[in-house]
Every structure is written in structure tokens, then in C-alpha cells.
PDB file of all heavy atoms in Angstrom:
ATOM      1  N   GLY A  71      68.962 122.328  46.253  1.00 95.00           N
ATOM      2  CA  GLY A  71      69.101 122.535  44.722  1.00 95.00           C
ATOM      3  C   GLY A  71      68.097 121.724  43.909  1.00 95.00           C
ATOM      4  O   GLY A  71      67.861 120.521  44.268  1.00 95.00           O
ATOM      5  N   TRP A  72      67.479 122.308  42.827  1.00 96.00           N
ATOM      6  CA  TRP A  72      66.552 121.584  42.012  1.00 96.00           C
ATOM      7  C   TRP A  72      66.691 122.154  40.611  1.00 96.00           C
ATOM      8  O   TRP A  72      66.430 123.316  40.371  1.00 96.00           O
ATOM      9  CB  TRP A  72      65.163 121.903  42.498  1.00 96.00           C
ATOM     10  CG  TRP A  72      64.051 121.080  41.739  1.00 96.00           C
ATOM     11  CD1 TRP A  72      63.610 121.438  40.524  1.00 96.00           C
ATOM     12  CD2 TRP A  72      63.282 120.044  42.124  1.00 96.00           C
ATOM     13  NE1 TRP A  72      62.537 120.648  40.180  1.00 96.00           N
ATOM     14  CE2 TRP A  72      62.403 119.690  41.067  1.00 96.00           C
ATOM     15  CE3 TRP A  72      63.294 119.262  43.298  1.00 96.00           C
ATOM     16  CZ2 TRP A  72      61.507 118.670  41.229  1.00 96.00           C
ATOM     17  CZ3 TRP A  72      62.378 118.191  43.433  1.00 96.00           C
ATOM     18  CH2 TRP A  72      61.471 117.906  42.322  1.00 96.00           C
ATOM     19  N   LYS A  73      67.189 121.455  39.737  1.00 95.00           N
ATOM     20  CA  LYS A  73      67.441 121.888  38.291  1.00 95.00           C
ATOM     21  C   LYS A  73      66.814 120.857  37.307  1.00 95.00           C
ATOM     22  O   LYS A  73      67.265 119.664  37.315  1.00 95.00           O
ATOM     23  CB  LYS A  73      68.979 122.053  38.116  1.00 95.00           C
ATOM     24  CG  LYS A  73      69.341 122.661  36.731  1.00 95.00           C
ATOM     25  CD  LYS A  73      70.771 122.752  36.507  1.00 95.00           C
ATOM     26  CE  LYS A  73      71.134 123.305  35.192  1.00 95.00           C
ATOM     27  NZ  LYS A  73      72.567 123.520  35.001  1.00 95.00           N
ATOM     28  N   ALA A  74      65.928 121.363  36.578  1.00 94.00           N
ATOM     29  CA  ALA A  74      65.251 120.582  35.483  1.00 94.00           C
ATOM     30  C   ALA A  74      65.963 120.923  34.114  1.00 94.00           C
ATOM     31  O   ALA A  74      66.210 122.095  33.810  1.00 94.00           O
ATOM     32  CB  ALA A  74      63.805 120.793  35.421  1.00 94.00           C
ATOM     33  N   GLY A  75      66.146 119.851  33.289  1.00 93.00           N
ATOM     34  CA  GLY A  75      66.741 120.050  31.975  1.00 93.00           C
ATOM     35  C   GLY A  75      66.919 118.724  31.256  1.00 93.00           C
ATOM     36  O   GLY A  75      66.837 117.693  31.894  1.00 93.00           O
ATOM     37  N   PRO A  76      67.450 118.811  30.006  1.00 92.00           N
ATOM     38  CA  PRO A  76      67.637 117.549  29.361  1.00 92.00           C
ATOM     39  C   PRO A  76      68.944 116.870  29.691  1.00 92.00           C
ATOM     40  O   PRO A  76      69.952 117.595  30.137  1.00 92.00           O
ATOM     41  CB  PRO A  76      67.654 117.966  27.785  1.00 92.00           C
ATOM     42  CG  PRO A  76      68.159 119.333  27.901  1.00 92.00           C
ATOM     43  CD  PRO A  76      67.602 119.942  29.222  1.00 92.00           C
ATOM     44  N   ASP A  77      68.995 115.549  29.525  1.00 89.00           N
ATOM     45  CA  ASP A  77      70.318 114.855  29.718  1.00 89.00           C
ATOM     46  C   ASP A  77      71.077 114.811  28.396  1.00 89.00           C
ATOM     47  O   ASP A  77      70.551 115.498  27.357  1.00 89.00           O
ATOM     48  CB  ASP A  77      70.100 113.349  30.265  1.00 89.00           C
ATOM     49  CG  ASP A  77      69.228 112.536  29.264  1.00 89.00           C
ATOM     50  OD1 ASP A  77      69.075 113.012  28.125  1.00 89.00           O
ATOM     51  OD2 ASP A  77      68.835 111.445  29.740  1.00 89.00           O
ATOM     52  N   ARG A  78      72.094 114.184  28.276  1.00 88.00           N
ATOM     53  CA  ARG A  78      72.950 114.164  27.101  1.00 88.00           C
ATOM     54  C   ARG A  78      72.206 113.519  25.899  1.00 88.00           C
ATOM     55  O   ARG A  78      72.687 113.689  24.757  1.00 88.00           O
ATOM     56  CB  ARG A  78      74.327 113.439  27.315  1.00 88.00           C
ATOM     57  CG  ARG A  78      74.295 112.045  27.770  1.00 88.00           C
ATOM     58  CD  ARG A  78      75.559 111.532  28.184  1.00 88.00           C
ATOM     59  NE  ARG A  78      75.552 110.129  28.651  1.00 88.00           N
ATOM     60  CZ  ARG A  78      75.874 109.246  27.844  1.00 88.00           C
ATOM     61  NH1 ARG A  78      76.218 109.421  26.617  1.00 88.00           N
ATOM     62  NH2 ARG A  78      75.941 107.940  28.313  1.00 88.00           N
ATOM     63  N   HIS A  79      71.180 112.814  26.160  1.00 85.00           N
ATOM     64  CA  HIS A  79      70.432 112.100  25.094  1.00 85.00           C
ATOM     65  C   HIS A  79      69.143 112.909  24.686  1.00 85.00           C
ATOM     66  O   HIS A  79      68.342 112.474  23.949  1.00 85.00           O
ATOM     67  CB  HIS A  79      70.022 110.677  25.483  1.00 85.00           C
ATOM     68  CG  HIS A  79      71.176 109.760  25.698  1.00 85.00           C
ATOM     69  ND1 HIS A  79      72.072 109.465  24.812  1.00 85.00           N
ATOM     70  CD2 HIS A  79      71.588 109.238  26.896  1.00 85.00           C
ATOM     71  CE1 HIS A  79      72.975 108.625  25.309  1.00 85.00           C
ATOM     72  NE2 HIS A  79      72.735 108.473  26.562  1.00 85.00           N
ATOM     73  N   GLY A  80      68.907 114.029  25.394  1.00 89.00           N
ATOM     74  CA  GLY A  80      67.831 114.932  25.123  1.00 89.00           C
ATOM     75  C   GLY A  80      66.551 114.543  25.895  1.00 89.00           C
ATOM     76  O   GLY A  80      65.539 115.125  25.685  1.00 89.00           O
ATOM     77  N   HIS A  81      66.621 113.566  26.901  1.00 88.00           N
ATOM     78  CA  HIS A  81      65.541 113.184  27.690  1.00 88.00           C
ATOM     79  C   HIS A  81      65.454 114.146  28.935  1.00 88.00           C
ATOM     80  O   HIS A  81      66.437 114.512  29.495  1.00 88.00           O
ATOM     81  CB  HIS A  81      65.669 111.745  28.159  1.00 88.00           C
ATOM     82  CG  HIS A  81      65.642 110.770  27.024  1.00 88.00           C
ATOM     83  ND1 HIS A  81      64.530 110.522  26.257  1.00 88.00           N
ATOM     84  CD2 HIS A  81      66.640 110.055  26.508  1.00 88.00           C
ATOM     85  CE1 HIS A  81      64.865 109.648  25.348  1.00 88.00           C
ATOM     86  NE2 HIS A  81      66.069 109.281  25.496  1.00 88.00           N
ATOM     87  N   ALA A  82      64.219 114.497  29.297  1.00 92.00           N
ATOM     88  CA  ALA A  82      64.015 115.384  30.429  1.00 92.00           C
ATOM     89  C   ALA A  82      64.451 114.642  31.707  1.00 92.00           C
ATOM     90  O   ALA A  82      64.304 113.496  31.929  1.00 92.00           O
ATOM     91  CB  ALA A  82      62.602 115.712  30.603  1.00 92.00           C
ATOM     92  N   GLN A  83      65.129 115.433  32.609  1.00 94.00           N
ATOM     93  CA  GLN A  83      65.490 114.937  33.886  1.00 94.00           C
ATOM     94  C   GLN A  83      65.553 116.025  34.981  1.00 94.00           C
ATOM     95  O   GLN A  83      65.428 117.226  34.599  1.00 94.00           O
ATOM     96  CB  GLN A  83      66.903 114.335  33.865  1.00 94.00           C
ATOM     97  CG  GLN A  83      68.025 115.320  33.458  1.00 94.00           C
ATOM     98  CD  GLN A  83      69.382 114.686  33.586  1.00 94.00           C
ATOM     99  OE1 GLN A  83      69.488 113.510  33.576  1.00 94.00           O
ATOM    100  NE2 GLN A  83      70.424 115.495  33.580  1.00 94.00           N
ATOM    101  N   VAL A  84      65.657 115.685  36.235  1.00 96.00           N
ATOM    102  CA  VAL A  84      65.721 116.660  37.249  1.00 96.00           C
ATOM    103  C   VAL A  84      66.850 116.189  38.154  1.00 96.00           C
ATOM    104  O   VAL A  84      67.054 115.180  38.625  1.00 96.00           O
ATOM    105  CB  VAL A  84      64.341 116.625  38.146  1.00 96.00           C
ATOM    106  CG1 VAL A  84      64.512 117.593  39.365  1.00 96.00           C
ATOM    107  CG2 VAL A  84      63.250 116.983  37.336  1.00 96.00           C
ATOM    108  N   LYS A  85      67.727 117.243  38.473  1.00 96.00           N
ATOM    109  CA  LYS A  85      68.836 117.099  39.295  1.00 96.00           C
ATOM    110  C   LYS A  85      68.539 117.751  40.618  1.00 96.00           C
ATOM    111  O   LYS A  85      68.309 118.968  40.703  1.00 96.00           O
ATOM    112  CB  LYS A  85      70.138 117.584  38.639  1.00 96.00           C
ATOM    113  CG  LYS A  85      70.719 116.797  37.589  1.00 96.00           C
ATOM    114  CD  LYS A  85      72.045 117.251  37.114  1.00 96.00           C
ATOM    115  CE  LYS A  85      72.746 116.264  36.161  1.00 96.00           C
ATOM    116  NZ  LYS A  85      73.095 114.994  36.820  1.00 96.00           N
ATOM    117  N   ILE A  86      68.697 116.954  41.755  1.00 96.00           N
ATOM    118  CA  ILE A  86      68.399 117.559  43.101  1.00 96.00           C
ATOM    119  C   ILE A  86      69.675 117.317  43.925  1.00 96.00           C
ATOM    120  O   ILE A  86      70.355 116.317  43.928  1.00 96.00           O
ATOM    121  CB  ILE A  86      67.283 116.603  43.728  1.00 96.00           C
ATOM    122  CG1 ILE A  86      65.989 116.706  42.895  1.00 96.00           C
ATOM    123  CG2 ILE A  86      66.986 117.171  45.241  1.00 96.00           C
ATOM    124  CD1 ILE A  86      64.899 115.781  43.396  1.00 96.00           C
ATOM    125  N   SER A  87      70.040 118.440  44.639  1.00 96.00           N
ATOM    126  CA  SER A  87      71.238 118.426  45.482  1.00 96.00           C
ATOM    127  C   SER A  87      70.906 118.787  46.859  1.00 96.00           C
ATOM    128  O   SER A  87      70.067 119.635  47.150  1.00 96.00           O
ATOM    129  CB  SER A  87      72.328 119.331  44.839  1.00 96.00           C
ATOM    130  OG  SER A  87      71.769 120.697  44.718  1.00 96.00           O
ATOM    131  N   PHE A  88      71.795 118.265  47.794  1.00 96.00           N
ATOM    132  CA  PHE A  88      71.673 118.558  49.175  1.00 96.00           C
ATOM    133  C   PHE A  88      72.927 119.381  49.593  1.00 96.00           C
ATOM    134  O   PHE A  88      74.033 119.151  49.027  1.00 96.00           O
ATOM    135  CB  PHE A  88      71.665 117.217  49.987  1.00 96.00           C
ATOM    136  CG  PHE A  88      70.307 116.548  49.881  1.00 96.00           C
ATOM    137  CD1 PHE A  88      70.019 115.780  48.782  1.00 96.00           C
ATOM    138  CD2 PHE A  88      69.350 116.667  50.907  1.00 96.00           C
ATOM    139  CE1 PHE A  88      68.764 115.115  48.696  1.00 96.00           C
ATOM    140  CE2 PHE A  88      68.121 116.001  50.837  1.00 96.00           C
ATOM    141  CZ  PHE A  88      67.837 115.229  49.661  1.00 96.00           C
ATOM    142  N   PRO A  89      72.863 120.177  50.557  1.00 95.00           N
ATOM    143  CA  PRO A  89      73.926 121.058  50.974  1.00 95.00           C
ATOM    144  C   PRO A  89      75.193 120.221  51.432  1.00 95.00           C
ATOM    145  O   PRO A  89      74.969 119.327  52.196  1.00 95.00           O
ATOM    146  CB  PRO A  89      73.387 121.887  52.127  1.00 95.00           C
ATOM    147  CG  PRO A  89      72.200 121.169  52.554  1.00 95.00           C
ATOM    148  CD  PRO A  89      71.681 120.479  51.379  1.00 95.00           C
ATOM    149  N   ALA A  90      76.319 120.626  51.092  1.00 94.00           N
ATOM    150  CA  ALA A  90      77.546 119.895  51.288  1.00 94.00           C
ATOM    151  C   ALA A  90      77.839 119.996  52.845  1.00 94.00           C
ATOM    152  O   ALA A  90      78.276 118.985  53.436  1.00 94.00           O
ATOM    153  CB  ALA A  90      78.744 120.484  50.612  1.00 94.00           C
ATOM    154  N   LEU A  91      77.589 121.088  53.498  1.00 94.00           N
ATOM    155  CA  LEU A  91      77.886 121.169  54.958  1.00 94.00           C
ATOM    156  C   LEU A  91      76.960 120.238  55.745  1.00 94.00           C
ATOM    157  O   LEU A  91      77.463 119.596  56.680  1.00 94.00           O
ATOM    158  CB  LEU A  91      77.689 122.634  55.366  1.00 94.00           C
ATOM    159  CG  LEU A  91      78.666 123.620  54.853  1.00 94.00           C
ATOM    160  CD1 LEU A  91      78.287 125.036  55.404  1.00 94.00           C
ATOM    161  CD2 LEU A  91      80.048 123.338  55.358  1.00 94.00           C
ATOM    162  N   VAL A  92      75.777 120.127  55.359  1.00 94.00           N
ATOM    163  CA  VAL A  92      74.844 119.211  56.081  1.00 94.00           C
ATOM    164  C   VAL A  92      75.201 117.799  55.912  1.00 94.00           C
ATOM    165  O   VAL A  92      75.341 116.935  56.830  1.00 94.00           O
ATOM    166  CB  VAL A  92      73.365 119.474  55.668  1.00 94.00           C
ATOM    167  CG1 VAL A  92      72.444 118.432  56.259  1.00 94.00           C
ATOM    168  CG2 VAL A  92      72.901 120.942  56.079  1.00 94.00           C
ATOM    169  N   CYS A  93      75.505 117.457  54.629  1.00 94.00           N
ATOM    170  CA  CYS A  93      75.933 116.037  54.382  1.00 94.00           C
ATOM    171  C   CYS A  93      77.232 115.643  55.018  1.00 94.00           C
ATOM    172  O   CYS A  93      77.491 114.526  55.440  1.00 94.00           O
ATOM    173  CB  CYS A  93      75.949 115.747  52.754  1.00 94.00           C
ATOM    174  SG  CYS A  93      74.363 115.841  51.969  1.00 94.00           S
ATOM    175  N   SER A  94      78.177 116.583  55.009  1.00 93.00           N
ATOM    176  CA  SER A  94      79.513 116.270  55.573  1.00 93.00           C
ATOM    177  C   SER A  94      79.384 115.937  57.038  1.00 93.00           C
ATOM    178  O   SER A  94      80.196 115.202  57.604  1.00 93.00           O
ATOM    179  CB  SER A  94      80.473 117.369  55.309  1.00 93.00           C
ATOM    180  OG  SER A  94      80.039 118.552  55.918  1.00 93.00           O
ATOM    181  N   ALA A  95      78.418 116.521  57.787  1.00 92.00           N
ATOM    182  CA  ALA A  95      78.279 116.339  59.206  1.00 92.00           C
ATOM    183  C   ALA A  95      77.344 115.192  59.561  1.00 92.00           C
ATOM    184  O   ALA A  95      77.121 114.826  60.653  1.00 92.00           O
ATOM    185  CB  ALA A  95      77.786 117.617  59.786  1.00 92.00           C
ATOM    186  N   CYS A  96      76.727 114.593  58.529  1.00 94.00           N
ATOM    187  CA  CYS A  96      75.751 113.523  58.698  1.00 94.00           C
ATOM    188  C   CYS A  96      76.428 112.224  59.128  1.00 94.00           C
ATOM    189  O   CYS A  96      77.384 111.768  58.499  1.00 94.00           O
ATOM    190  CB  CYS A  96      74.935 113.284  57.370  1.00 94.00           C
ATOM    191  SG  CYS A  96      73.599 112.059  57.553  1.00 94.00           S
ATOM    192  N   ALA A  97      75.849 111.571  60.126  1.00 93.00           N
ATOM    193  CA  ALA A  97      76.427 110.328  60.579  1.00 93.00           C
ATOM    194  C   ALA A  97      76.177 109.153  59.680  1.00 93.00           C
ATOM    195  O   ALA A  97      76.887 108.135  59.626  1.00 93.00           O
ATOM    196  CB  ALA A  97      75.743 109.937  61.968  1.00 93.00           C
ATOM    197  N   ALA A  98      75.230 109.312  58.735  1.00 94.00           N
ATOM    198  CA  ALA A  98      74.823 108.291  57.831  1.00 94.00           C
ATOM    199  C   ALA A  98      75.521 108.570  56.391  1.00 94.00           C
ATOM    200  O   ALA A  98      75.116 107.914  55.394  1.00 94.00           O
ATOM    201  CB  ALA A  98      73.358 108.042  57.703  1.00 94.00           C
ATOM    202  N   ARG A  99      76.460 109.409  56.358  1.00 94.00           N
ATOM    203  CA  ARG A  99      77.134 109.787  55.056  1.00 94.00           C
ATOM    204  C   ARG A  99      77.651 108.622  54.328  1.00 94.00           C
ATOM    205  O   ARG A  99      77.487 108.522  53.066  1.00 94.00           O
ATOM    206  CB  ARG A  99      78.153 110.754  55.304  1.00 94.00           C
ATOM    207  CG  ARG A  99      78.839 111.255  54.042  1.00 94.00           C
ATOM    208  CD  ARG A  99      79.968 112.295  54.378  1.00 94.00           C
ATOM    209  NE  ARG A  99      80.658 112.690  53.048  1.00 94.00           N
ATOM    210  CZ  ARG A  99      80.175 113.605  52.203  1.00 94.00           C
ATOM    211  NH1 ARG A  99      79.153 114.199  52.514  1.00 94.00           N
ATOM    212  NH2 ARG A  99      80.943 113.922  51.182  1.00 94.00           N
ATOM    213  N   SER A 100      78.228 107.638  54.962  1.00 93.00           N
ATOM    214  CA  SER A 100      78.790 106.538  54.266  1.00 93.00           C
ATOM    215  C   SER A 100      77.802 105.639  53.647  1.00 93.00           C
ATOM    216  O   SER A 100      78.181 104.821  52.701  1.00 93.00           O
ATOM    217  CB  SER A 100      79.668 105.645  55.306  1.00 93.00           C
ATOM    218  OG  SER A 100      78.807 105.194  56.365  1.00 93.00           O
ATOM    219  N   SER A 101      76.587 105.687  54.043  1.00 94.00           N
ATOM    220  CA  SER A 101      75.470 104.892  53.404  1.00 94.00           C
ATOM    221  C   SER A 101      74.709 105.713  52.329  1.00 94.00           C
ATOM    222  O   SER A 101      73.963 105.198  51.698  1.00 94.00           O
ATOM    223  CB  SER A 101      74.440 104.537  54.453  1.00 94.00           C
ATOM    224  OG  SER A 101      75.035 103.762  55.543  1.00 94.00           O
ATOM    225  N   CYS A 102      75.215 106.927  52.102  1.00 95.00           N
ATOM    226  CA  CYS A 102      74.432 107.812  51.198  1.00 95.00           C
ATOM    227  C   CYS A 102      75.334 108.303  49.997  1.00 95.00           C
ATOM    228  O   CYS A 102      74.734 108.315  48.930  1.00 95.00           O
ATOM    229  CB  CYS A 102      73.897 109.067  51.940  1.00 95.00           C
ATOM    230  SG  CYS A 102      72.688 110.048  51.038  1.00 95.00           S
ATOM    231  N   THR A 103      76.513 108.672  50.319  1.00 94.00           N
ATOM    232  CA  THR A 103      77.355 109.168  49.151  1.00 94.00           C
ATOM    233  C   THR A 103      78.878 108.884  49.366  1.00 94.00           C
ATOM    234  O   THR A 103      79.279 108.778  50.551  1.00 94.00           O
ATOM    235  CB  THR A 103      77.157 110.759  48.991  1.00 94.00           C
ATOM    236  OG1 THR A 103      77.938 111.131  47.949  1.00 94.00           O
ATOM    237  CG2 THR A 103      77.473 111.416  50.276  1.00 94.00           C
ATOM    238  N   HIS A 104      79.575 108.758  48.274  1.00 92.00           N
ATOM    239  CA  HIS A 104      80.955 108.504  48.298  1.00 92.00           C
ATOM    240  C   HIS A 104      81.721 109.785  47.948  1.00 92.00           C
ATOM    241  O   HIS A 104      82.982 109.829  47.813  1.00 92.00           O
ATOM    242  CB  HIS A 104      81.405 107.423  47.372  1.00 92.00           C
ATOM    243  CG  HIS A 104      81.060 106.094  47.815  1.00 92.00           C
ATOM    244  ND1 HIS A 104      81.104 104.904  47.052  1.00 92.00           N
ATOM    245  CD2 HIS A 104      80.714 105.546  49.130  1.00 92.00           C
ATOM    246  CE1 HIS A 104      80.712 103.866  47.709  1.00 92.00           C
ATOM    247  NE2 HIS A 104      80.466 104.239  49.024  1.00 92.00           N
ATOM    248  N   ALA A 105      80.996 110.873  47.761  1.00 91.00           N
ATOM    249  CA  ALA A 105      81.596 112.168  47.343  1.00 91.00           C
ATOM    250  C   ALA A 105      82.516 112.671  48.453  1.00 91.00           C
ATOM    251  O   ALA A 105      82.212 112.597  49.606  1.00 91.00           O
ATOM    252  CB  ALA A 105      80.549 113.270  47.042  1.00 91.00           C
ATOM    253  N   ALA A 106      83.674 113.132  48.063  1.00 88.00           N
ATOM    254  CA  ALA A 106      84.619 113.513  49.100  1.00 88.00           C
ATOM    255  C   ALA A 106      84.231 114.855  49.781  1.00 88.00           C
ATOM    256  O   ALA A 106      84.315 114.929  51.082  1.00 88.00           O
ATOM    257  CB  ALA A 106      86.050 113.754  48.393  1.00 88.00           C
TER     258      ALA A 106
END
């Protein structure tokens, strides 16, 4: 995922996302994200 757009203050930003299935099976998940 790659989405460009303004933040809540009007500044440009880019949001990048990784697939949930890949991250959930990753052995290093605890070092990368706390998302459930």
C-alpha cells in the first residue's frame, strides 16, 4: 500500500502499508509492530 495526501495540519505525507498476512507470520513481528 502507498497513499499520498495531507495530514491533519495540511502537510504532505505518504502512508505505506505492509500486508497483514505477511506481517502476522513474520518471526520479527514483535520488533516491528504492536498491531494486533
Side-chain angles (χ1 to χ4, degrees):
W72 182 288
K73 182 179 180 181
D77 62 13
R78 60 191 179 92
H79 299 294
H81 299 291
Q83 67 176 11
V84 177
K85 284 188 173 292
I86 304 172
S87 57
F88 288 80
L91 289 178
V92 172
C93 289
S94 62
C96 181
R99 180 180 177 84
S100 61
S101 298
C102 191
T103 180
H104 285 164

